[in-house]
Amino acid sequence: LMRYVLVYSKDNCQQCKMVKRWLDNKGIKYKECNVTNDEAEAKHLRLLGFKTLPVMYVDSDKFNGFITGFDVKKMNDVFLGGK
């Protein structure tokens, strides 16, 4: 069961666009947090140790944590059971 997917992104980020397009194509619902003009969220990500975007937070029965970048293998594993 997929409870929550949050995609941290920024303007003019190709990998961010690719992650959102991949999720859209798979019919996976997500909330987007664009940090371009949200310094508080950008600072929060830096405090967590992230230096690049996109960063995805996933909360599901099988996986709870972060996926960074456009990591198709990891996304296939987490969202599609490795298909």
Side-chain angles (χ1 to χ4, degrees), residues 29-40:
K29 295 190 183 328
Y30 60 92
K31 182 174 188 252
E32 181 180 5
C33 179
N34 186 315
V35 301
T36 300
N37 298 310
D38 190 338
E39 186 52 41

Side-chain angles (χ1 to χ4, degrees), residues 4 19 22 24 27-29 31 48 53 56 61 63 68-69:
Y4 192 71
V19 162
W22 189 92
D24 289 340
I28 298 164
K29 295 190 183 328
K31 182 174 188 252
L48 290 172
L53 291 171
M56 219 183 320
D61 288 348
F63 181 85
T68 57

